[in-house]
Amino acid sequence: MNNVRMSVRQKSIVLIGFMGVGKTTIGELVAKKLYRSFIDVDQEIEKDFGMTIPEIFEQHGEAFFRDYEKKKTCALAEQKLKIVSIGGGAFLQPEIRESCLRNCIVFYLDVSWDEWKERLNILIDSRPVLQSRNIEEIEELFYKRQDAYSINHSKLTVNQRSAEEVADFIVDSLKHAWDMYEPMND
């Protein structure tokens, strides 16, 4: 880890939240608006292995995946000027949480259980952690992860908001914070 203090304007932005909340869609929009690169950690892992996350889970197991996810995410958290979307379970790992909070600006995209439930049918096949769980077990997982997500720099509830609205809010918040903490001297 380098000890050079990074300017708040240079810090990468990390989006956290439960699976299916819209981290990738919103992250891509924020990246375009801020002229930054977008990185979806799960997509990067899939590229590294040449297989989907469910296939990685099936062939190598969840423990292997979580360890690889930790190394990949912590390395990305040390980069500058990126917009990074991390998997729904990643932020539960203390090393990932600490690395992201120390090196990045972490936005928690929150959604109510009732709104999230409406998305379940489009998510279930691509999310190994949901498979073989009933709705009560999924709800328990949803609420269990709230504790880890509650440790962030900024929380935004996405209920009833379009991805564009959420992205605009994040960009406006960042620009306001940057001007407050590191005003540009013209």
Side-chain angles (χ1 to χ4, degrees):
M1 184 179 102
N2 65 39
N3 290 326
V4 177
R5 184 159 156 73
M6 198 182 310
S7 154
V8 72
R9 289 178 188 270
Q10 293 179 320
K11 287 185 173 195
S12 287
I13 310 307
V14 171
L15 303 179
I16 65 169
F18 201 63
M19 62 192 96
V21 75
K23 297 180 297 283
T24 299
T25 303
I26 292 163
E28 289 170 340
L29 290 167
V30 171
K32 276 185 194 151
K33 293 171 186 292
L34 293 177
Y35 304 98
R36 291 186 177 194
S37 300
F38 173 73
I39 299 167
D40 179 298
V41 175
D42 283 351
Q43 289 174 3
E44 292 298 308
I45 293 171
E46 288 179 340
K47 279 187 220 165
D48 291 350
F49 284 88
M51 58 178 78
T52 66
I53 301 294
E55 291 168 340
I56 297 168
F57 264 67
E58 190 178 313
Q59 287 190 23
H60 300 283
E62 184 173 1
F64 173 88
F65 172 80
R66 295 296 177 199
D67 187 56
Y68 192 84
E69 176 183 55
K70 176 174 55 181
K71 291 175 189 151
K72 188 81 171 177
T73 306
C74 290
L76 288 169
E78 292 188 6
Q79 294 185 12
K80 295 179 188 177
L81 302 170
K82 305 282 188 246
I83 308 297
V84 181
S85 166
I86 66 173
F91 212 66
L92 301 173
Q93 295 190 57
E95 298 91 338
I96 290 176
R97 197 168 47 247
E98 290 161 14
S99 181
C100 289
L101 290 166
R102 181 177 56 247
N103 298 306
C104 307
I105 299 171
V106 177
F107 276 87
Y108 167 35
L109 303 181
D110 189 21
V111 65
S112 71
W113 167 249
D114 288 333
E115 181 143 332
W116 184 85
K117 228 174 17 180
E118 302 293 318
R119 305 169 187 200
L120 182 58
N121 288 339
I122 59 171
L123 296 171
I124 196 128
D125 291 335
S126 62
R127 313 297 166 127
V129 79
L130 295 180
Q131 292 162 8
S132 76
R133 291 183 192 235
N134 63 37
I135 192 71
E136 291 79 17
E137 291 168 328
I138 294 170
E139 183 176 14
E140 183 181 329
L141 180 69
F142 178 90
Y143 285 111
K144 193 167 117 184
R145 289 186 175 181
Q146 303 299 311
D147 287 343
Y149 299 151
S150 70
I151 306 164
N152 58 67
H153 295 118
S154 187
K155 175 183 171 183
L156 174 59
T157 302
V158 300
N159 292 351
Q160 308 300 316
R161 291 189 171 150
S162 71
E164 191 76 34
E165 289 172 312
V166 174
D168 285 341
F169 181 88
I170 290 170
V171 169
D172 291 346
S173 299
L174 289 167
K175 288 180 176 178
H176 179 73
W178 293 340
D179 288 344
M180 202 164 68
Y181 293 107
E182 290 179 2
M184 297 291 256
N185 297 327
D186 294 329

